[in-house]
Amino acid sequence: MNQEQQEEESGLPPLRSDAVILEGKTKRGKPCRVIDNTVSVPREDLADLLNDLIEQEHFGPSGLSMAGSNTISIGAPQSAHVQLGENIYRMIVVAYEARLEEF
């Protein structure tokens, strides 16, 4: 499955050709990355976010169940909102990738 198919299946917006990507390694040595798909976050803030996500161990497959559901969905995207500077972004974490989108 290619990147575009994975994005489509997970509901992620398409990755911009000029998206800013910073890469790192989790505490367990797995490659991870943060992507600014808005191309508006200062690089220093993006690096701080990546380091915070690594420190808090947000990367890696996770199992979630919806309230009242009897099933667990492994690797489902997790969505949150994050404020960087004066702006609020939608952050979507899928396995070892965190992506910032417009809010």
Side-chain angles (χ1 to χ4, degrees), residues 11-35:
L12 293 174
L15 188 63
R16 294 173 49 148
S17 62
D18 60 346
V20 179
I21 301 172
L22 294 182
E23 297 183 342
K25 289 198 183 270
T26 67
K27 290 181 177 182
R28 293 178 178 87
K30 298 276 190 181
C32 60
R33 64 188 190 164
V34 65
I35 299 171

PDB file of all heavy atoms in Angstrom, residues 11-35:
ATOM      1  N   GLY A  11      -8.061   8.770   6.637  1.00  0.00           N
ATOM      2  CA  GLY A  11      -8.782  10.029   6.652  1.00  0.00           C
ATOM      3  C   GLY A  11      -7.886  11.255   6.708  1.00  0.00           C
ATOM      4  O   GLY A  11      -8.369  12.349   6.957  1.00  0.00           O
ATOM      5  N   LEU A  12      -6.592  11.089   6.480  1.00  0.00           N
ATOM      6  CA  LEU A  12      -5.672  12.220   6.516  1.00  0.00           C
ATOM      7  C   LEU A  12      -5.759  13.028   5.230  1.00  0.00           C
ATOM      8  O   LEU A  12      -5.898  12.463   4.148  1.00  0.00           O
ATOM      9  CB  LEU A  12      -4.232  11.725   6.683  1.00  0.00           C
ATOM     10  CG  LEU A  12      -3.880  11.061   8.002  1.00  0.00           C
ATOM     11  CD1 LEU A  12      -2.476  10.498   7.939  1.00  0.00           C
ATOM     12  CD2 LEU A  12      -4.003  12.041   9.143  1.00  0.00           C
ATOM     13  N   PRO A  13      -5.652  14.358   5.341  1.00  0.00           N
ATOM     14  CA  PRO A  13      -5.569  15.172   4.128  1.00  0.00           C
ATOM     15  C   PRO A  13      -4.283  14.822   3.371  1.00  0.00           C
ATOM     16  O   PRO A  13      -3.321  14.337   3.972  1.00  0.00           O
ATOM     17  CB  PRO A  13      -5.491  16.602   4.654  1.00  0.00           C
ATOM     18  CG  PRO A  13      -5.982  16.530   6.053  1.00  0.00           C
ATOM     19  CD  PRO A  13      -5.655  15.153   6.547  1.00  0.00           C
ATOM     20  N   PRO A  14      -4.250  15.068   2.076  1.00  0.00           N
ATOM     21  CA  PRO A  14      -3.029  14.775   1.307  1.00  0.00           C
ATOM     22  C   PRO A  14      -1.836  15.568   1.842  1.00  0.00           C
ATOM     23  O   PRO A  14      -1.985  16.690   2.321  1.00  0.00           O
ATOM     24  CB  PRO A  14      -3.371  15.226  -0.116  1.00  0.00           C
ATOM     25  CG  PRO A  14      -4.846  15.389  -0.137  1.00  0.00           C
ATOM     26  CD  PRO A  14      -5.307  15.622   1.262  1.00  0.00           C
ATOM     27  N   LEU A  15      -0.670  14.965   1.754  1.00  0.00           N
ATOM     28  CA  LEU A  15       0.560  15.616   2.187  1.00  0.00           C
ATOM     29  C   LEU A  15       0.989  16.630   1.126  1.00  0.00           C
ATOM     30  O   LEU A  15       1.098  16.302  -0.052  1.00  0.00           O
ATOM     31  CB  LEU A  15       1.657  14.570   2.393  1.00  0.00           C
ATOM     32  CG  LEU A  15       2.944  15.047   3.023  1.00  0.00           C
ATOM     33  CD1 LEU A  15       2.693  15.560   4.435  1.00  0.00           C
ATOM     34  CD2 LEU A  15       3.949  13.916   3.065  1.00  0.00           C
ATOM     35  N   ARG A  16       1.213  17.862   1.569  1.00  0.00           N
ATOM     36  CA  ARG A  16       1.664  18.913   0.647  1.00  0.00           C
ATOM     37  C   ARG A  16       3.079  18.610   0.176  1.00  0.00           C
ATOM     38  O   ARG A  16       3.882  18.058   0.917  1.00  0.00           O
ATOM     39  CB  ARG A  16       1.665  20.269   1.350  1.00  0.00           C
ATOM     40  CG  ARG A  16       0.306  20.765   1.729  1.00  0.00           C
ATOM     41  CD  ARG A  16       0.388  22.024   2.561  1.00  0.00           C
ATOM     42  NE  ARG A  16       1.268  23.042   1.994  1.00  0.00           N
ATOM     43  CZ  ARG A  16       1.085  24.338   2.118  1.00  0.00           C
ATOM     44  NH1 ARG A  16       0.054  24.797   2.809  1.00  0.00           N
ATOM     45  NH2 ARG A  16       1.936  25.200   1.597  1.00  0.00           N
ATOM     46  N   SER A  17       3.386  19.017  -1.037  1.00  0.00           N
ATOM     47  CA  SER A  17       4.729  18.788  -1.575  1.00  0.00           C
ATOM     48  C   SER A  17       5.785  19.609  -0.829  1.00  0.00           C
ATOM     49  O   SER A  17       6.946  19.236  -0.790  1.00  0.00           O
ATOM     50  CB  SER A  17       4.771  19.108  -3.067  1.00  0.00           C
ATOM     51  OG  SER A  17       4.458  20.475  -3.275  1.00  0.00           O
ATOM     52  N   ASP A  18       5.375  20.721  -0.205  1.00  0.00           N
ATOM     53  CA  ASP A  18       6.311  21.575   0.530  1.00  0.00           C
ATOM     54  C   ASP A  18       6.198  21.406   2.048  1.00  0.00           C
ATOM     55  O   ASP A  18       6.713  22.228   2.810  1.00  0.00           O
ATOM     56  CB  ASP A  18       6.122  23.041   0.137  1.00  0.00           C
ATOM     57  CG  ASP A  18       4.719  23.559   0.423  1.00  0.00           C
ATOM     58  OD1 ASP A  18       3.796  22.739   0.679  1.00  0.00           O
ATOM     59  OD2 ASP A  18       4.521  24.790   0.390  1.00  0.00           O
ATOM     60  N   ALA A  19       5.530  20.333   2.499  1.00  0.00           N
ATOM     61  CA  ALA A  19       5.376  20.087   3.938  1.00  0.00           C
ATOM     62  C   ALA A  19       6.748  20.008   4.609  1.00  0.00           C
ATOM     63  O   ALA A  19       7.708  19.499   4.034  1.00  0.00           O
ATOM     64  CB  ALA A  19       4.604  18.793   4.172  1.00  0.00           C
ATOM     65  N   VAL A  20       6.825  20.524   5.827  1.00  0.00           N
ATOM     66  CA  VAL A  20       8.071  20.503   6.595  1.00  0.00           C
ATOM     67  C   VAL A  20       8.082  19.226   7.432  1.00  0.00           C
ATOM     68  O   VAL A  20       7.146  18.960   8.181  1.00  0.00           O
ATOM     69  CB  VAL A  20       8.183  21.747   7.508  1.00  0.00           C
ATOM     70  CG1 VAL A  20       9.464  21.687   8.322  1.00  0.00           C
ATOM     71  CG2 VAL A  20       8.111  23.022   6.687  1.00  0.00           C
ATOM     72  N   ILE A  21       9.139  18.432   7.286  1.00  0.00           N
ATOM     73  CA  ILE A  21       9.243  17.147   7.976  1.00  0.00           C
ATOM     74  C   ILE A  21      10.507  17.133   8.830  1.00  0.00           C
ATOM     75  O   ILE A  21      11.595  17.379   8.327  1.00  0.00           O
ATOM     76  CB  ILE A  21       9.278  15.978   6.965  1.00  0.00           C
ATOM     77  CG1 ILE A  21       8.019  15.996   6.106  1.00  0.00           C
ATOM     78  CG2 ILE A  21       9.444  14.648   7.691  1.00  0.00           C
ATOM     79  CD1 ILE A  21       8.034  15.021   4.953  1.00  0.00           C
ATOM     80  N   LEU A  22      10.328  16.843  10.123  1.00  0.00           N
ATOM     81  CA  LEU A  22      11.465  16.654  11.027  1.00  0.00           C
ATOM     82  C   LEU A  22      11.434  15.216  11.518  1.00  0.00           C
ATOM     83  O   LEU A  22      10.379  14.719  11.911  1.00  0.00           O
ATOM     84  CB  LEU A  22      11.392  17.599  12.220  1.00  0.00           C
ATOM     85  CG  LEU A  22      11.541  19.091  11.946  1.00  0.00           C
ATOM     86  CD1 LEU A  22      11.505  19.865  13.248  1.00  0.00           C
ATOM     87  CD2 LEU A  22      12.820  19.380  11.200  1.00  0.00           C
ATOM     88  N   GLU A  23      12.582  14.565  11.505  1.00  0.00           N
ATOM     89  CA  GLU A  23      12.655  13.163  11.900  1.00  0.00           C
ATOM     90  C   GLU A  23      13.445  13.001  13.187  1.00  0.00           C
ATOM     91  O   GLU A  23      14.305  13.815  13.509  1.00  0.00           O
ATOM     92  CB  GLU A  23      13.280  12.347  10.773  1.00  0.00           C
ATOM     93  CG  GLU A  23      12.431  12.386   9.512  1.00  0.00           C
ATOM     94  CD  GLU A  23      12.968  11.546   8.384  1.00  0.00           C
ATOM     95  OE1 GLU A  23      14.153  11.178   8.409  1.00  0.00           O
ATOM     96  OE2 GLU A  23      12.187  11.271   7.457  1.00  0.00           O
ATOM     97  N   GLY A  24      13.115  11.938  13.910  1.00  0.00           N
ATOM     98  CA  GLY A  24      13.805  11.623  15.152  1.00  0.00           C
ATOM     99  C   GLY A  24      13.726  10.135  15.421  1.00  0.00           C
ATOM    100  O   GLY A  24      13.376   9.355  14.540  1.00  0.00           O
ATOM    101  N   LYS A  25      14.056   9.759  16.647  1.00  0.00           N
ATOM    102  CA  LYS A  25      13.979   8.356  17.072  1.00  0.00           C
ATOM    103  C   LYS A  25      13.288   8.296  18.420  1.00  0.00           C
ATOM    104  O   LYS A  25      13.550   9.119  19.298  1.00  0.00           O
ATOM    105  CB  LYS A  25      15.363   7.737  17.168  1.00  0.00           C
ATOM    106  CG  LYS A  25      16.011   7.519  15.815  1.00  0.00           C
ATOM    107  CD  LYS A  25      17.141   6.524  15.908  1.00  0.00           C
ATOM    108  CE  LYS A  25      17.823   6.370  14.578  1.00  0.00           C
ATOM    109  NZ  LYS A  25      17.262   5.349  13.756  1.00  0.00           N
ATOM    110  N   THR A  26      12.420   7.300  18.576  1.00  0.00           N
ATOM    111  CA  THR A  26      11.735   7.109  19.848  1.00  0.00           C
ATOM    112  C   THR A  26      12.735   6.635  20.893  1.00  0.00           C
ATOM    113  O   THR A  26      13.885   6.316  20.566  1.00  0.00           O
ATOM    114  CB  THR A  26      10.608   6.066  19.719  1.00  0.00           C
ATOM    115  OG1 THR A  26      11.192   4.792  19.457  1.00  0.00           O
ATOM    116  CG2 THR A  26       9.615   6.441  18.635  1.00  0.00           C
ATOM    117  N   LYS A  27      12.281   6.526  22.125  1.00  0.00           N
ATOM    118  CA  LYS A  27      13.146   6.024  23.193  1.00  0.00           C
ATOM    119  C   LYS A  27      13.587   4.585  22.926  1.00  0.00           C
ATOM    120  O   LYS A  27      14.593   4.140  23.457  1.00  0.00           O
ATOM    121  CB  LYS A  27      12.417   6.100  24.536  1.00  0.00           C
ATOM    122  CG  LYS A  27      12.224   7.509  25.036  1.00  0.00           C
ATOM    123  CD  LYS A  27      11.510   7.499  26.377  1.00  0.00           C
ATOM    124  CE  LYS A  27      11.384   8.892  26.926  1.00  0.00           C
ATOM    125  NZ  LYS A  27      10.735   8.884  28.254  1.00  0.00           N
ATOM    126  N   ARG A  28      12.832   3.878  22.114  1.00  0.00           N
ATOM    127  CA  ARG A  28      13.175   2.489  21.773  1.00  0.00           C
ATOM    128  C   ARG A  28      13.943   2.399  20.449  1.00  0.00           C
ATOM    129  O   ARG A  28      14.154   1.317  19.921  1.00  0.00           O
ATOM    130  CB  ARG A  28      11.912   1.645  21.717  1.00  0.00           C
ATOM    131  CG  ARG A  28      11.268   1.495  23.077  1.00  0.00           C
ATOM    132  CD  ARG A  28       9.969   0.695  23.008  1.00  0.00           C
ATOM    133  NE  ARG A  28       9.398   0.522  24.313  1.00  0.00           N
ATOM    134  CZ  ARG A  28       8.570   1.376  24.906  1.00  0.00           C
ATOM    135  NH1 ARG A  28       8.230   2.489  24.298  1.00  0.00           N
ATOM    136  NH2 ARG A  28       8.091   1.131  26.102  1.00  0.00           N
ATOM    137  N   GLY A  29      14.322   3.555  19.892  1.00  0.00           N
ATOM    138  CA  GLY A  29      15.141   3.591  18.694  1.00  0.00           C
ATOM    139  C   GLY A  29      14.402   3.486  17.376  1.00  0.00           C
ATOM    140  O   GLY A  29      15.015   3.372  16.318  1.00  0.00           O
ATOM    141  N   LYS A  30      13.073   3.563  17.386  1.00  0.00           N
ATOM    142  CA  LYS A  30      12.290   3.502  16.147  1.00  0.00           C
ATOM    143  C   LYS A  30      12.260   4.878  15.491  1.00  0.00           C
ATOM    144  O   LYS A  30      12.123   5.903  16.177  1.00  0.00           O
ATOM    145  CB  LYS A  30      10.849   3.078  16.432  1.00  0.00           C
ATOM    146  CG  LYS A  30      10.713   1.707  17.040  1.00  0.00           C
ATOM    147  CD  LYS A  30      10.729   0.683  15.962  1.00  0.00           C
ATOM    148  CE  LYS A  30      10.350  -0.674  16.547  1.00  0.00           C
ATOM    149  NZ  LYS A  30      10.366  -1.698  15.563  1.00  0.00           N
ATOM    150  N   PRO A  31      12.360   4.932  14.161  1.00  0.00           N
ATOM    151  CA  PRO A  31      12.257   6.222  13.478  1.00  0.00           C
ATOM    152  C   PRO A  31      10.856   6.810  13.653  1.00  0.00           C
ATOM    153  O   PRO A  31       9.858   6.090  13.592  1.00  0.00           O
ATOM    154  CB  PRO A  31      12.512   5.886  12.008  1.00  0.00           C
ATOM    155  CG  PRO A  31      12.888   4.460  11.949  1.00  0.00           C
ATOM    156  CD  PRO A  31      12.592   3.823  13.253  1.00  0.00           C
ATOM    157  N   CYS A  32      10.796   8.104  13.874  1.00  0.00           N
ATOM    158  CA  CYS A  32       9.519   8.795  14.002  1.00  0.00           C
ATOM    159  C   CYS A  32       9.676  10.173  13.358  1.00  0.00           C
ATOM    160  O   CYS A  32      10.793  10.608  13.080  1.00  0.00           O
ATOM    161  CB  CYS A  32       9.093   8.913  15.460  1.00  0.00           C
ATOM    162  SG  CYS A  32      10.254   9.811  16.506  1.00  0.00           S
ATOM    163  N   ARG A  33       8.548  10.817  13.129  1.00  0.00           N
ATOM    164  CA  ARG A  33       8.645  12.138  12.516  1.00  0.00           C
ATOM    165  C   ARG A  33       7.412  12.969  12.814  1.00  0.00           C
ATOM    166  O   ARG A  33       6.346  12.451  13.139  1.00  0.00           O
ATOM    167  CB  ARG A  33       8.852  12.022  11.020  1.00  0.00           C
ATOM    168  CG  ARG A  33       7.721  11.392  10.258  1.00  0.00           C
ATOM    169  CD  ARG A  33       8.130  11.153   8.834  1.00  0.00           C
ATOM    170  NE  ARG A  33       6.992  10.762   8.010  1.00  0.00           N
ATOM    171  CZ  ARG A  33       6.994  10.783   6.697  1.00  0.00           C
ATOM    172  NH1 ARG A  33       8.072  11.174   6.051  1.00  0.00           N
ATOM    173  NH2 ARG A  33       5.939  10.416   6.015  1.00  0.00           N
ATOM    174  N   VAL A  34       7.599  14.276  12.702  1.00  0.00           N
ATOM    175  CA  VAL A  34       6.507  15.228  12.805  1.00  0.00           C
ATOM    176  C   VAL A  34       6.474  15.985  11.482  1.00  0.00           C
ATOM    177  O   VAL A  34       7.522  16.330  10.921  1.00  0.00           O
ATOM    178  CB  VAL A  34       6.656  16.157  14.035  1.00  0.00           C
ATOM    179  CG1 VAL A  34       7.866  17.054  13.926  1.00  0.00           C
ATOM    180  CG2 VAL A  34       5.415  16.980  14.258  1.00  0.00           C
ATOM    181  N   ILE A  35       5.260  16.183  10.973  1.00  0.00           N
ATOM    182  CA  ILE A  35       5.076  16.834   9.677  1.00  0.00           C
ATOM    183  C   ILE A  35       4.210  18.065   9.871  1.00  0.00           C
ATOM    184  O   ILE A  35       3.109  17.977  10.417  1.00  0.00           O
ATOM    185  CB  ILE A  35       4.380  15.883   8.679  1.00  0.00           C
ATOM    186  CG1 ILE A  35       5.231  14.647   8.455  1.00  0.00           C
ATOM    187  CG2 ILE A  35       4.092  16.600   7.362  1.00  0.00           C
ATOM    188  CD1 ILE A  35       4.530  13.557   7.654  1.00  0.00           C
TER     189      ILE A  35
END
